[in-house]
């Protein structure tokens, strides 16, 4: 991924990076220099964003209980 620096020295953080780090408006970030000279972007608060699985947890909503599902698979009504 790449981004272009504006005349004011600003860069838009790519959406995939923002989503991965959980960066939303108002989130503070740190720039650190790695041992190999690379620059690493991290969240300043060290919070880890919810995993993609955690974000989906509880999204199925209310539905059938186990007995009802088993009855459907057996063709019972």
């Amino acid at each position: 991924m790449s981004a272009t620096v504006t005349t004011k020295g600003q860069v838009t953080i790519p959406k995939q990076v923002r989503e991965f780090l959980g960066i939303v408006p108002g989130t503070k970030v740190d720039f650190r220099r790695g041992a190999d000279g690379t620059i690493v972007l991290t969240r300043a608060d060290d919070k880890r964003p919810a995993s993609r699985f955690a974000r989906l947890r509880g999204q199925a909503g209310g539905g059938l209980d186990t007995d009802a599902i088993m009855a459907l698979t057996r063709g019972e009504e």
Side-chain angles (χ1 to χ4, degrees):
M1 287 178 264
S2 64
T4 303
V5 179
T6 68
T7 57
K8 292 183 178 184
Q10 299 171 333
V11 175
T12 299
I13 301 169
K15 182 179 179 186
Q16 294 164 322
V17 175
R18 293 191 317 263
E19 288 176 347
F20 179 76
L21 293 175
I23 295 173
V24 295
T27 302
K28 294 195 180 291
V29 296
D30 283 332
F31 298 92
R32 299 183 183 148
R33 191 169 82 184
D36 61 355
T38 59
I39 301 298
V40 179
L41 171 71
T42 59
R43 287 178 59 123
D45 58 11
D46 291 329
K47 286 184 181 177
R48 302 196 116 201
S51 75
R52 61 184 175 174
F53 300 111
R55 286 183 287 185
L56 295 174
R57 186 173 295 137
Q59 297 299 315
L64 304 172
D65 62 10
T66 304
D67 292 331
I69 293 170
M70 293 305 294
L72 284 172
T73 58
R74 293 182 184 131
E76 301 169 2
E77 300 220 13

